[in-house]
Amino acid sequence: MYRKITALILILPLLLTGCWDRQELNDQAIVLGWGMDLEKEGVYLATANLVLPLASKSGGQQGGEQGGRSGFMTESAYGKNNRDAEQNMQRKLSRVIFPGHRRNIFIGEKLAEHGVFSILDEYGRSPMVRPRTNIFVVKEGTAQDAMSLAYQLETNPAIAVQKIQEKSGAPISRSLLDFYIMANGTGCGIMPALMILPPEVKMDKKSKNDSPPQTTLSLYGAAIFNSQLKLAGYLNHNEYWVRLWITDQLTGWNFTTIVNAIDADQPGGAAADALSGATSSQAVTVNVDTFKSQITPVFDGELPRFRIRLQGKGYIEENDSPLNLSKTENIEKVEARMNEYLEERVKEVVKKVQKDFKSDIFGLGDKLHQFHPYRWKKLAADWETVFPDIELDIKVKLNLTGTGVTGESLLPDREGGDK
């Protein structure tokens, strides 16, 4: 009897273990990207990028395809919200939709203008949506357009945009979480923005093996949302770095400016001439890989002002000016000119955000809460109206630590250059 009881105790755990509700991998439709567009009031179009299992088994990839087949498929469905559209989409799929690997969420511009509150609730409530997910606005387009476009270097455009964002010096895999934090803090929000860009120069194939430039996805910058979580406007790629630097999130950037015939006391040329007005034989490019931001709120009365100190370290990566960079004084001239340009550029973007968007995307309210919680409590309710008139004292200090492999150019001295 004792032996029978012992045997039964040993057998029971084997019968009670296991996943009775398991879903085999062959029965799952793995979602890498999800998009939402507004068709009309109360009607949304959901789009999903699904992994093609047959394509993923083949070796190698070329031009966004594997084994001659696209590495993904796109499916869509209408619905009253995310879950309703997903249920309607499921009726067209032979496998169960599995969003656990979803990396990116796309929002069409029309939906962003209408407001994203109506579709973001599910992303914060569902356990199948990872908070560390990227969310993008498609400028001048729809989520379905962006997600249907094959990207040559990757098997899936949902993967491509994440890598593009990473290589652009912006933080990745958390823009959805950051949006929630900002919306519950200062009340506004910010998301990376994409664009569908045609090639700068259109070329026809001369043979089937040619690969001319094609329409592709591009990181435009950032989409700004007001306190109603409606699209207020955009910062383009040459403005977005300002916000990243101020919020201490910028990991790397190249800056190009004109130096002209500068001297140590007067680094000639207006700051507005830099970058967009660069002409041949006058530009210097600096690669900056170390950034630091310090924001300090100061009270002189009822309203605060903020001291913003931006610091960075980098090295000269290209010199098309007549300056001989083997001379220390010439490096100091470039450094002075670059600081002048960067400070002017930062002030322009900050003014645009304050006056045009009226949205505190720089986290100044959070800094005020951190340093002066009781004063913030009095200002929090009116921060949207107070922020546009807040005084900001901005200073930029960029240190150049090197000139690349050589200080003096390997080419002969050009006309007008240092001897």
Side-chain angles (χ1 to χ4, degrees):
M1 184 67 180
Y2 176 77
R3 292 181 178 178
K4 291 181 179 179
I5 295 175
T6 303
L8 183 60
I9 293 175
L10 293 174
I11 293 173
L12 278 176
L14 299 177
L15 298 176
L16 296 176
T17 57
C19 298
W20 297 99
D21 59 345
R22 72 176 184 264
Q23 191 74 49
E24 297 291 347
L25 184 61
N26 289 339
D27 293 326
Q28 294 180 358
I30 298 176
V31 178
L32 288 184
W34 184 266
M36 291 293 286
D37 291 300
L38 179 67
E39 291 299 303
K40 59 182 180 180
E41 187 69 35
V43 179
Y44 300 93
L45 176 65
T47 304
N49 270 354
L50 307 171
V51 176
L52 276 183
L54 295 179
S56 64
K57 291 181 180 178
S58 60
Q61 64 182 49
Q62 182 178 1
E65 297 184 353
Q66 297 179 343
R69 294 187 57 186
S70 173
F72 72 99
M73 67 171 285
T74 304
E75 191 55 82
S76 61
Y78 291 102
K80 301 180 182 65
N81 55 26
N82 281 279
R83 295 297 295 167
D84 186 48
E86 180 180 325
Q87 181 174 279
N88 294 334
M89 188 184 299
Q90 183 63 73
R91 295 185 299 172
K92 296 185 282 184
L93 298 173
S94 60
R95 302 185 178 204
V96 176
I97 295 175
F98 180 74
H101 291 292
R102 178 164 48 187
R103 298 185 181 184
N104 299 291
I105 298 170
F106 300 82
I107 304 295
E109 186 176 68
K110 183 179 178 181
L111 175 55
E113 293 172 343
H114 180 268
V116 296
F117 178 85
S118 58
I119 59 103
L120 285 183
D121 179 78
E122 191 260 344
Y123 302 148
R125 191 180 300 275
S126 173
M128 299 302 291
V129 180
R130 298 180 296 179
R132 298 182 68 85
T133 297
N134 280 314
I135 187 166
F136 298 90
V137 173
V138 183
K139 186 177 186 294
E140 299 176 3
T142 67
Q144 188 176 69
D145 290 339
M147 297 172 66
S148 302
L149 184 66
Y151 189 83
Q152 289 185 292
L153 288 177
E154 306 294 339
T155 58
N156 193 307
I159 299 175
V161 293
Q162 181 171 321
K163 290 188 174 182
I164 292 173
Q165 185 186 17
E166 180 184 9
K167 301 307 183 291
S168 299
I172 62 169
S173 298
R174 59 167 297 155
S175 56
L176 177 60
L177 177 60
D178 287 342
F179 189 89
Y180 284 133
I181 294 173
M182 289 189 64
N184 286 280
T186 54
C188 59
I190 186 169
M191 297 180 188
L194 300 172
M195 279 197 76
I196 300 174
L197 290 182
E200 277 77 3
V201 178
K202 188 175 181 180
M203 301 175 59
D204 296 326
K205 282 189 174 184
K206 296 179 175 60
S207 71
K208 65 177 182 179
N209 294 325
D210 291 345
S211 181
Q214 299 179 15
T215 299
T216 188
L217 294 172
S218 172
L219 183 66
Y220 177 82
I224 313 301
F225 289 81
N226 58 25
S227 58
Q228 288 76 44
L229 300 188
K230 296 182 179 181
L231 181 64
Y234 295 95
L235 293 179
N236 64 37
H237 190 259
N238 292 321
E239 298 170 326
Y240 183 35
W241 60 264
V242 173
R243 190 261 173 180
L244 294 176
W245 195 350
I246 292 177
T247 57
D248 218 4
Q249 294 180 306
L250 190 58
T251 59
W253 208 268
N254 283 351
F255 300 105
T256 301
T257 187
I258 297 174
V259 292
N260 295 325
I262 65 177
D263 55 62
D265 297 325
Q266 185 178 2
D273 293 337
L275 194 60
S276 61
T279 58
S280 60
S281 303
Q282 293 182 322
V284 173
T285 295
V286 172
N287 182 302
V288 183
D289 54 14
T290 303
F291 294 89
K292 185 178 180 181
S293 171
Q294 183 178 16
I295 303 175
T296 307
V298 179
F299 277 90
D300 297 325
E302 291 297 322
L303 296 180
R305 60 183 177 87
F306 289 84
R307 286 200 302 261
I308 301 177
R309 299 294 181 260
L310 304 177
Q311 299 177 350
K313 292 183 180 180
Y315 57 92
I316 297 174
E317 201 165 49
E318 183 173 355
N319 175 34
D320 299 324
S321 75
L323 291 177
N324 181 355
L325 296 183
S326 64
K327 299 180 180 180
T328 303
E329 60 268 25
N330 286 339
I331 298 177
E332 293 175 351
K333 294 175 185 180
V334 174
E335 188 177 272
R337 179 65 186 87
M338 186 63 70
N339 277 308
E340 179 193 32
Y341 159 64
L342 291 177
E343 187 170 307
E344 184 69 22
R345 192 70 178 133
V346 169
K347 290 180 178 179
E348 288 177 0
V349 175
V350 169
K351 182 179 179 181
K352 176 180 179 179
V353 171
Q354 279 190 286
K355 302 303 181 182
D356 295 349
F357 302 148
K358 299 178 174 58
S359 299
D360 180 14
I361 62 172
F362 305 115
L364 301 184
D366 293 334
K367 283 293 182 181
L368 186 58
H369 186 200
Q370 178 183 347
F371 282 87
H372 305 280
Y374 294 106
R375 288 180 179 266
W376 167 248
K377 189 175 181 179
K378 297 179 180 179
L379 293 171
D382 301 319
W383 188 243
E384 186 177 7
T385 57
V386 171
F387 170 72
D389 298 318
I390 290 295
E391 180 184 349
L392 304 178
D393 176 22
I394 300 173
K395 299 294 182 184
V396 175
K397 178 59 177 176
L398 179 66
N399 293 319
L400 298 183
T401 59
T403 60
V405 178
T406 61
E408 192 172 358
S409 176
L410 297 177
L411 298 173
D413 291 335
R414 66 197 73 189
E415 184 178 357
D418 295 332
K419 304 298 183 183

